[in-house]
Amino acid sequence: MARKKRTAAKRKPLTPEQLLKREKTFFKKKIRNIFTTAGFQYIPTNDHEIKIGRRTGEIDSLFIYENIWILCEDTVKTTNIRDHIRTKDQIFGEIFGNLDDFKKILLELFPEKSDIFSKYDTARIKPFAFYISKYEIPLENDDISLFDNLTFIQPQTLDYFNWIAKSIRLSARFEIFRFLNLSNRDIGLVSSASTSTEIVANIIYPKEITGMKNNVHVVSFMMSAEDLLNTCYVMRKDNWEQSIWLYQRLIDPNKIKNVRSFIEKNGETFYNNIIVALPDNVKFLDASDNYIELDKISDFEANCKLIMPKEDNSICVIDGQHRIFAHYESGLDNKQEREISRLRKQLHLLVTGLVFPKDMSKEKRIQIQSKIFLDINSNAKPVDANVLLRINRIMCPIESESLAQLVVEKLNKQEPFKNSLQISTFGQGKIKTASIVRFALRYLVTVTPADGKQSLYNYWDGDKKKITDLDDDAINEYTDFCVGVLRKYFCAVKKNLSSDWDDPNSKLMTVVSINGFIIALTRQLPYNGIKDFEFYDKSLNGWSYDFSKDGFPFTSSQYRKFSNVILKEVFNLSDDESIIDTTDLDTSQ
């Protein structure tokens, strides 16, 4: 007799409460994995209500590395978030002010972990309070100052730490220390200075053959993989820092894996140089162990030594991050880690270090570093378009694409484009921005419009001399002005085309449409100048267009063709043949 086929029971859909619980569980697990992978001890403080000072509340989790205590509040809330932040800021403030009492509470709750809590005197403990949100929190500088007990971890920052922890495991702790602005002296026991806290290496000094200018010197030396791993940092463009001076790519986990396997299998180092920028406190000794200025060292003089403190996050890697971080500490008890652990102490990498004049500005140093990075990598793996834009911005901050990139980043923090534009690898935005910057926005914001053309710079009444002098404040003022104009314009677009704006299947929120709107705005400047929201709202009122996938007629780089439609139907400029054309000029304006 044939068996009856069993049918799988249908699963009941999860309730909203169950979905929320699952979301919280996954989010907490992600946070825990980041810190424990980086070497922190996890203390499960969740569900333990404590009374501390004048406040009562819970600490979602506590992570401890030596004397560094990170208290975490994690949330998936999207409503009443400011009240929640205020409450947590007050609780953490009470903990910081009553740390002895907090230690006693922890000892009562977790007696089995007394060795962790009692390892350091209270005065040596450095506590931090992380407020970690799954969703972006709109915070102004005033908010950060007001809730100064909290360190806010936005989703992009958390994703970055997650990426780094998965890629280099225990060695990711140095990235967390850099985020917290901690030095060696802040971590662990206080120790007096000694030769064990210094790196000493014989140097090669080929002064005449480097071609370096600006009084930048170059030295080459050998350095153990372990020392380099523990003292270096990389200026990755997708990390937490709000700075224009970031240009490097993320670590590639597959590349790290391959390099690590090579090291394990062959037991040897690489012969091509690691390129770094050395810290200002590097010193040099001559053959008699007397301190000497670098420019006094004769070419290839023997027995000269380099001495620098063995300080976390002090050596900036310009090229070679994968060769360094492939030696990472995994914390796993396996054959590969045992072999790599031996080799990271034994193997020495060839390092070429740049020594900058102490009075050279940070900006000038990074311009030099980023150019070297680009020169090295331009003939290797193609450099990502966003990396190129970053480096170009560093090299020339008022070049049109540099200004446009800064405008895009500012637009992404505000409505109507908030979190819609793809700024970084971890960003939530779906709209890629390299083509917006290169083929549309740069013409609108350029400070050097072509003959017969206009840009927003023509209408800005700020200090233009400061712009040409590369003054940071002036550049920020001008780009804020540009952002203001674009927000008025696109808020009107969103209001009048709201159904398409909110429809994920619409072609409105795509590069071709956005570029068409921006190019139209640029081309109408000689006729209308810049206007307020009401003007753009009135111009767009009643206008409609087919932005469906099947109905939208423009593809790829036909930005200018679509701008012709907008100029004619929105701005009523169809009678002027000099501004409306029917040819497809692709990506040129």
Side-chain angles (χ1 to χ4, degrees), residues 247-514:
Y247 59 91
Q248 287 232 37
R249 297 176 280 213
L250 277 173
I251 280 180
D252 181 337
N254 289 328
K255 192 171 182 179
I256 288 281
K257 181 180 178 181
N258 292 337
V259 175
R260 190 172 175 87
S261 296
F262 172 89
I263 295 169
E264 178 195 11
K265 179 180 178 181
N266 295 280
E268 62 183 43
T269 187
F270 296 89
Y271 302 108
N272 47 337
N273 295 24
I274 305 291
I275 313 296
V276 305
L278 296 175
D280 281 346
N281 55 4
V282 64
K283 296 178 181 178
F284 300 91
L285 297 179
D286 64 14
S288 302
D289 285 345
N290 297 314
Y291 287 108
I292 185 172
E293 293 297 323
L294 183 58
D295 56 9
K296 301 289 177 61
I297 300 175
S298 301
D299 296 355
F300 299 99
E301 181 179 337
N303 299 322
C304 288
K305 296 176 182 176
L306 167 152
I307 299 179
M308 60 185 167
K310 194 179 291 185
E311 188 72 59
D312 296 351
N313 299 303
S314 61
I315 298 174
C316 180
V317 179
I318 299 171
D319 186 67
Q321 62 168 324
H322 291 91
R323 281 169 280 155
I324 298 170
F325 287 105
H327 296 85
Y328 69 81
E329 298 175 64
S330 74
L332 303 174
D333 184 17
N334 58 28
K335 178 178 176 291
Q336 185 182 70
E337 175 57 27
R338 288 191 290 273
E339 180 64 10
I340 296 291
S341 178
R342 180 182 68 83
L343 291 172
R344 81 169 64 98
K345 295 178 174 65
Q346 175 184 315
L347 296 180
H348 280 58
L349 303 174
L350 179 59
V351 180
T352 293
L354 276 62
V355 184
F356 294 101
K358 288 183 171 58
D359 60 352
M360 181 178 282
S361 68
K362 171 187 174 183
E363 293 80 6
K364 186 62 179 175
R365 296 180 191 214
I366 299 177
Q367 284 180 338
I368 294 170
Q369 292 176 36
S370 61
K371 184 178 186 304
I372 291 171
F373 170 83
L374 186 58
D375 289 345
I376 292 171
N377 289 280
S378 59
N379 294 317
K381 180 181 177 181
V383 181
D384 179 80
N386 281 319
V387 174
L388 289 173
L389 287 172
R390 280 279 185 166
I391 292 175
N392 188 56
R393 190 165 83 185
I394 291 169
M395 300 304 295
C396 187
I398 63 167
E399 197 272 337
S400 58
E401 287 189 15
S402 303
L403 292 170
Q405 180 70 19
L406 186 54
V407 167
V408 163
E409 291 174 9
K410 291 183 175 183
L411 276 174
N412 196 51
K413 296 178 181 179
Q414 305 176 65
E415 294 295 343
F417 285 109
K418 188 173 179 64
N419 296 329
S420 298
L421 306 174
Q422 191 179 89
I423 302 299
S424 74
T425 303
F426 302 120
Q428 300 171 0
K430 304 301 182 185
I431 304 171
K432 294 184 177 180
T433 58
S435 293
I436 293 174
V437 166
R438 184 162 296 162
F439 301 123
L441 190 55
R442 69 186 178 105
Y443 299 105
L444 179 66
V445 303
T446 181
V447 298
T448 55
D451 290 342
K453 304 280 187 177
Q454 289 189 6
S455 74
L456 295 181
Y457 195 63
N458 296 95
Y459 299 89
W460 182 57
D461 59 4
D463 192 330
K464 294 183 177 179
K465 184 178 183 306
K466 285 187 176 181
I467 286 279
T468 57
D469 290 340
L470 308 184
D471 180 84
D472 281 345
D473 290 338
I475 292 172
N476 271 315
E477 287 174 14
Y478 174 58
T479 50
D480 285 343
F481 169 76
C482 295
V483 169
V485 174
L486 283 160
R487 289 188 66 212
K488 292 171 187 174
Y489 180 51
F490 278 102
C491 278
V493 173
K494 180 178 180 180
K495 176 186 173 184
N496 289 276
L497 301 171
S498 58
S499 59
D500 282 302
W501 190 282
D502 297 326
D503 182 357
N505 296 314
S506 167
K507 300 290 285 186
L508 176 58
M509 293 292 279
T510 61
V511 172
V512 64
S513 293
I514 292 170

Side-chain angles (χ1 to χ4, degrees), residues 20-43:
L20 181 61
K21 184 178 180 180
R22 174 182 285 188
E23 182 182 21
K24 288 180 178 179
T25 299
F26 286 159
F27 189 52
K28 287 178 182 292
K29 184 177 180 181
K30 177 180 180 178
I31 294 168
R32 178 177 176 178
N33 286 344
I34 289 171
F35 287 102
T36 55
T37 301
F40 285 75
Q41 295 274 352
Y42 168 63
I43 312 297

